């Protein structure tokens, strides 16, 4: 059951997509900064293992790339639509018993891994189809680009599942052929149709009963279990606190605001406050703890001046930093800094 568009925009999505996009199109620091403008994504957060971000941030990034590189940019970013980026979804689809089961798995869980799209399984007298539509508002060029990336991933999966029968499958796009059609078609072994009624991947029904060449009941069950856990996450406030601390540390010397932290973990500020409060924590103490630990390390090293340490932790002046050190470490530390 689909939620509202506002719910979809807040849904967490793996930072792996953004990481692959920035690496593909941001060769210099200035290019990367330009790509991330208006997304709310700090560059440092892309290197955080297991990091997530709201769908709204990923969509904003894709929109920036589409404006700069046109709607065929996925052809130059194979890592974004590679099967390995799909994690448990790729495993569950490949290891399904039959081609029909693989299509049903992809339709059911496609939005779990890629919550910016919605999938619907349809069956006709002659075919099994997955109809794909945007889960959030996108302008025409952006949706064409996103749909292209999705179609390339779908093709990458089913060219291996269908093997020499891939030519019987069809990708249908509900818009005219783009400029550069020849370049696009080189990436597909299946039939491609433009000006269709909807964005659809279609497989002849006769192929549905064919066993998957990678069928593995135990691995399939484990992958489905992992996808169901993503669909219905259990709150883990201890893990959430750790994520927030890493985001705070990655942003220094700039100070991460509570509202922005909520956006980066894919939730609302109110929900972030509530979930942290469930274990007696809050954003401000987490921020203070990160600053304290950084200060302790710098003081122990003894290689920076008071002004340099203050700047590294985002203090407006060295006096404020000295007061914080007295609060954290006592008068002795504060006095030493005062004479430094």
């Amino acid at each position: 059951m689909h939620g509202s568009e506002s719910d979809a925009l807040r849904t967490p999505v793996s930072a792996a997509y953004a990481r692959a996009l920035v690496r593909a199109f941001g060769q210099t620091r200035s290019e990367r900064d330009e790509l991330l403008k208006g997304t709310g994504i700090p560059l440092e957060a892309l290197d955080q293992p297991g990091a997530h971000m709201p769908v709204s941030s990923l969509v904003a990034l894709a929109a920036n790339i589409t404006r700069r590189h046109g709607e065929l940019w996925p052809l130059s970013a194979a890592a974004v639509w590679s099967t390995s980026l799909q994690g448990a979804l790729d495993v569950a689809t490949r290891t399904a018993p039959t081609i029909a089961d693989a299509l049903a798995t992809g339709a059911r869980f496609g939005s779990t891994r890629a919550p910016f799209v919605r999938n619907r399984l349809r069956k006709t007298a002659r075919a099994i189809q997955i109809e794909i539509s945007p889960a959030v508002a996108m302008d025409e060029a952006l949706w064409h680009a996103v749909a292209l990336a999705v179609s390339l991933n779908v093709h990458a999966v089913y060219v291996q599942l269908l093997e020499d029968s891939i030519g019987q499958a069809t990708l249908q796009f509900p818009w005219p052929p783009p400029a550069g059609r020849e370049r696009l078609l080189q990436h597909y072994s299946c039939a491609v149709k433009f000006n269709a009624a909807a964005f659809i991947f279609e497989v002849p029904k006769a192929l549905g009963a064919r066993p998957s060449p990678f069928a593995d009941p135990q691995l399939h069950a484990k992958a489905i279990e992992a996808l169901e856990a993503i669909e219905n996450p259990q709150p883990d406030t201890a893990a959430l606190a750790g994520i927030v601390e890493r985001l705070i540390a990655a942003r220094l010397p700039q100070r991460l605001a509570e509202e922005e932290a909520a956006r980066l973990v894919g939730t609302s500020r109110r929900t972030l406050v509530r979930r942290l409060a469930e274990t007696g924590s809050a954003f401000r103490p987490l921020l203070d703890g990160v600053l304290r630990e950084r200060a302790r390390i710098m003081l122990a090293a003894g290689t920076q001046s008071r002004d340099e340490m203050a700047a590294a932790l985002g203090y407006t002046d060295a006096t404020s930093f000295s007061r914080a050190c007295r609060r954290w470490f006592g008068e002795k530390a504060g006095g030493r800094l005062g004479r430094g």
Side-chain angles (χ1 to χ4, degrees), residues 66-330:
T66 303
R67 282 191 291 271
R68 290 171 62 90
H69 298 281
E71 63 187 62
L72 294 186
W73 62 255
L75 301 182
S76 303
V80 178
W81 46 265
S82 67
T83 56
S84 59
L85 201 60
Q86 306 310 312
L89 176 61
D90 175 53
V91 176
T93 303
R94 288 175 185 274
T95 57
T98 67
I99 300 302
D101 292 320
L103 289 163
T105 298
R108 178 185 171 189
F109 292 107
S111 297
T112 301
R113 186 64 180 176
F116 44 87
V117 297
R118 290 178 177 149
N119 304 281
R120 178 185 176 192
L121 188 69
R122 302 176 61 175
K123 296 182 180 180
T124 70
R126 292 185 289 184
I128 305 172
Q129 302 175 335
I130 299 178
E131 181 178 340
I132 305 164
S133 59
V136 299
M138 302 184 198
D139 64 34
E140 185 176 85
L142 176 57
W143 173 230
H144 289 187
V146 171
L148 175 57
V150 171
S151 74
L152 288 165
N153 173 256
V154 169
H155 179 268
V157 172
Y158 286 92
V159 73
Q160 297 185 49
L161 291 178
L162 291 172
E163 301 177 311
D164 56 356
S165 298
I166 185 64
Q168 298 181 47
T170 307
L171 273 165
Q172 303 179 25
F173 298 101
W175 45 75
R181 172 183 180 177
E182 294 75 16
R183 179 179 166 223
L184 184 152
L185 293 179
Q186 292 173 6
H187 288 75
Y188 300 107
S189 301
C190 64
V192 178
K193 177 183 177 182
F194 292 97
N195 293 312
F199 175 28
I200 288 172
F201 178 65
E202 180 179 278
V203 174
K205 201 169 188 177
L207 297 177
R210 176 183 290 192
S212 166
F214 308 101
D216 184 326
Q218 290 185 330
L219 190 54
H220 179 69
K222 288 292 186 183
I224 292 294
E225 184 179 329
L227 290 167
E228 288 176 339
I230 296 171
E231 266 192 335
N232 303 290
Q234 298 299 312
D236 187 344
T237 51
L240 177 63
I243 292 170
V244 171
E245 287 176 329
R246 290 193 293 272
L247 289 171
I248 291 169
R251 178 60 64 88
L252 290 174
Q254 295 180 326
R255 294 289 179 86
L256 184 70
E258 188 174 48
E259 185 74 31
E260 187 175 6
R263 187 168 68 249
L264 289 173
V265 298
T267 189
S268 67
R269 178 181 176 278
R270 180 178 297 179
T271 299
L272 177 65
V273 170
R274 175 179 56 77
R275 290 183 59 189
L276 290 175
E278 288 173 1
T279 54
S281 186
F283 181 80
R284 184 68 194 182
L286 292 176
L287 172 62
D288 196 60
V290 171
L291 296 176
R292 181 183 187 279
E293 179 60 16
R294 283 288 183 90
R296 185 192 65 76
I297 292 170
M298 289 189 291
L299 286 168
T303 59
Q304 293 174 282
S305 69
R306 181 178 67 158
D307 288 337
E308 288 172 336
M309 288 187 284
L313 295 181
Y315 285 95
T316 55
D317 55 69
T319 301
S320 298
F321 174 59
S322 296
R323 282 199 298 267
C325 284
R326 282 193 291 270
R327 176 167 54 85
W328 292 327
F329 309 118

